[in-house]
Amino acid sequence: MNKMKVNIAVCDDDAVFREMLMSDLNNYAANSEYDMNINSFSNGLELMISEIQYNLIFLDYKMGIMNGMETAKKLRNKGVSCPIIFVTGFNEIVYDVYEINAFRFIKKPVEKEVLTKALDDFFKMYKNRKTIAFVSRGNTVSVYSDEIVYVESKFVGCVVHTLHEFYKIMQSLNAFEALLPENSFFRCSNKLTINLKYVRGFEGNCVLLTNGEFFKIKNGAKLEAMKEAYDAYKDAGNLN
């Protein structure tokens, strides 16, 4: 049976830790359906210039040349949207990983059970990614549904907001919404559908997103329904 190929980067300035983590990843791969191509980097600059498209990145938060948060921001600005797992001994970064949409936060030393759970959750998501194709300004565009933050109705069509771009399309919001996976998006109003993955929480009658944006939901019943949908989404293990 052909194994599914996955590119993984490990970026940490501690050579001993890099080798230990790579060994753990190889052990996981040996007992799985995945063929892991694992590359290691000693700093963020090395990772930045790599031309390989990674499916998952393990990133140390505290590095000498360029710390993990700086590296992650530059990667996101470069268009790298793959999941990032921070591996560090510093508790405080749990508060700022929202800014770059980190997939997971793991403390050093890494426990085998914690790493296995993170990888299991990643591959569950990776296998189930859905591609959405549409036409924007005469060009056919394909994006992963889990990279769509929200979709808003505008004029005769709608605007698709992804992690790094937005696309104007001629489809109605109803038509585009039919392409999206069930239980991952919530229709907040006649003009707005939000990906529950990017909901950070609620404040008053506003829904707060991980990118810093927020939207007011005027309909109280709709707000309560969204909170219930968000809780169900979390309980299903979709948020990490």
Side-chain angles (χ1 to χ4, degrees), residues 131-143 162 165 167 169:
T131 301
I132 308 292
F134 51 85
V135 176
S136 176
R137 297 174 178 172
N139 298 314
T140 299
V141 179
S142 294
V143 300
T162 69
E165 301 284 345
Y167 303 93
I169 64 176

Side-chain angles (χ1 to χ4, degrees), residues 145-146 148-150 184-185 193-199 233:
S145 63
D146 62 359
I148 297 173
V149 181
Y150 63 92
S184 295
F185 289 78
T193 293
I194 292 178
N195 190 339
L196 295 170
K197 175 180 179 179
Y198 298 105
V199 173
Y233 185 78

Side-chain angles (χ1 to χ4, degrees), residues 58-71:
F58 286 86
L59 189 57
D60 181 29
Y61 183 69
K62 192 173 179 62
M63 293 185 289
I65 297 179
M66 184 166 63
N67 71 37
M69 184 56 61
E70 291 177 295
T71 302

Side-chain angles (χ1 to χ4, degrees), residues 170-183:
M170 297 302 294
Q171 284 176 285
S172 68
L173 182 56
N174 284 340
F176 189 83
E177 195 174 45
L179 303 175
L180 300 174
E182 295 182 8
N183 304 320

Side-chain angles (χ1 to χ4, degrees), residues 77 79 143 147-150 159-167:
N77 291 334
V143 300
E147 294 183 359
I148 297 173
V149 181
Y150 63 92
V159 180
V160 181
H161 295 260
T162 69
L163 288 172
H164 309 290
E165 301 284 345
F166 67 90
Y167 303 93

Side-chain angles (χ1 to χ4, degrees), residues 6-172:
V6 182
N7 292 324
I8 296 179
V10 174
C11 185
D12 196 297
D13 58 3
D14 184 336
V16 174
F17 177 78
R18 286 201 310 271
E19 291 300 320
M20 291 176 60
L21 181 55
M22 291 174 67
S23 176
D24 289 339
L25 291 172
N26 283 318
N27 288 336
Y28 180 95
N31 298 296
S32 73
E33 58 186 290
Y34 308 105
D35 178 11
M36 293 186 184
N37 172 41
I38 307 171
N39 293 308
S40 68
F41 303 90
S42 62
N43 60 69
L45 293 176
E46 291 181 357
L47 176 58
M48 286 292 300
I49 63 175
S50 173
E51 296 183 356
I52 297 175
Q53 290 189 334
Y54 290 103
N55 305 112
L56 177 65
I57 296 174
F58 286 86
L59 189 57
D60 181 29
Y61 183 69
K62 192 173 179 62
M63 293 185 289
I65 297 179
M66 184 166 63
N67 71 37
M69 184 56 61
E70 291 177 295
T71 302
K73 288 179 180 178
K74 290 182 182 296
L75 288 170
R76 293 298 190 228
N77 291 334
K78 186 181 175 183
V80 176
S81 58
C82 73
I84 293 175
I85 295 179
F86 277 109
V87 187
T88 179
F90 293 83
N91 290 321
E92 62 270 19
I93 74 154
V94 74
Y95 299 109
D96 58 15
V97 293
Y98 283 116
E99 191 173 348
I100 50 82
N101 188 37
F103 177 72
R104 190 65 57 88
F105 170 80
I106 298 179
K107 286 187 64 178
K108 295 180 179 179
V110 176
E111 298 179 1
K112 180 180 178 181
E113 295 77 9
V114 174
L115 178 62
T116 298
K117 178 66 165 57
L119 291 170
D120 287 347
D121 289 345
F122 163 73
F123 282 113
K124 177 184 175 182
M125 178 190 72
Y126 182 74
K127 289 193 298 183
N128 294 327
R129 296 186 94 185
K130 182 177 181 179
T131 301
I132 308 292
F134 51 85
V135 176
S136 176
R137 297 174 178 172
N139 298 314
T140 299
V141 179
S142 294
V143 300
Y144 287 117
S145 63
D146 62 359
E147 294 183 359
I148 297 173
V149 181
Y150 63 92
V151 187
E152 59 177 338
S153 178
K154 284 276 190 177
F155 308 112
V156 295
C158 60
V159 180
V160 181
H161 295 260
T162 69
L163 288 172
H164 309 290
E165 301 284 345
F166 67 90
Y167 303 93
K168 296 179 180 179
I169 64 176
M170 297 302 294
Q171 284 176 285
S172 68

